[in-house]
Amino acid sequence: MDWNIMIERAWESREHAYAPYSSFAVGAAVESSDGGIFGGCNVENLSFGLTMCAERVAIASAIAAGGKSMRRVVVVADTRTPVSPCGACRQVMAEFGVQEILLCNRSEQILFRLDELLPRSSAGILDR
Ligand code: THU
């Protein structure tokens, strides 16, 4: 499957962003290993630390629908430079086997491997 379906889903999901505090709407889409596509948007809270990023909302949606692992993630925002996932989202992507992440704004797309964005994501953890 090409990236375009995922990119479209991410922009659609962004329309649902709940971002009254930052006014910064983000959309995401993930592809699960069985080919399902799941969207997500950021969901903010008055208690700022409870905010959920679009990427993690999309991943949680895929898991809730029975997905076991994910190959690809698209992130979109209307920014000058394509938006980059936060560290927490990178770690959650690693948890579920994401390999490629496409970062998009209205005019530009940058493709990364997860190991470029988060090297050694699980090295040594619980390894006693
Ligand atoms: N945000 C995301 O949803 N994904 C990202 O990759 C970057 C940041 C959200 C969190 C918060 O609602 C707003 O963008 C500003 O940080």
Side-chain angles (χ1 to χ4, degrees):
M1 190 187 290
D2 69 23
W3 288 98
N4 285 334
I5 290 166
M6 293 181 67
I7 294 168
E8 279 170 28
R9 177 65 67 84
W11 284 113
E12 283 167 17
S13 295
R14 180 178 173 273
E15 294 292 316
H16 303 297
Y18 177 74
Y21 304 106
S22 71
S23 299
F24 186 70
V26 183
V30 304
E31 180 190 48
S32 64
S33 45
D34 62 5
I37 306 289
F38 298 88
C41 58
N42 51 334
V43 182
E44 298 187 344
N45 192 277
L46 177 61
S47 177
F48 294 171
L50 298 181
T51 289
M52 295 182 280
C53 295
E55 297 90 320
R56 273 179 284 162
V57 170
I59 289 170
S61 173
I63 294 293
K68 301 294 178 216
S69 65
M70 280 139 238
R71 286 190 287 244
R72 303 192 286 175
V73 173
V74 169
V75 191
V76 303
D78 198 358
T79 44
R80 281 177 294 173
T81 302
V83 65
S84 196
C86 77
C89 286
R90 295 176 197 205
Q91 194 72 46
V92 171
M93 289 180 202
E95 182 75 21
F96 295 107
V98 171
Q99 289 170 12
E100 293 182 305
I101 303 114
L102 189 68
L103 309 180
C104 307
N105 63 14
R106 296 275 183 207
S107 59
E108 200 180 344
Q109 302 173 354
I110 316 177
L111 181 62
F112 288 96
R113 296 188 319 274
L114 184 64
D115 61 9
E116 294 177 272
L117 296 181
L118 190 69
R120 294 176 61 79
S121 62
S122 61
I125 299 177
L126 298 182
D127 177 19
R128 289 169 286 214

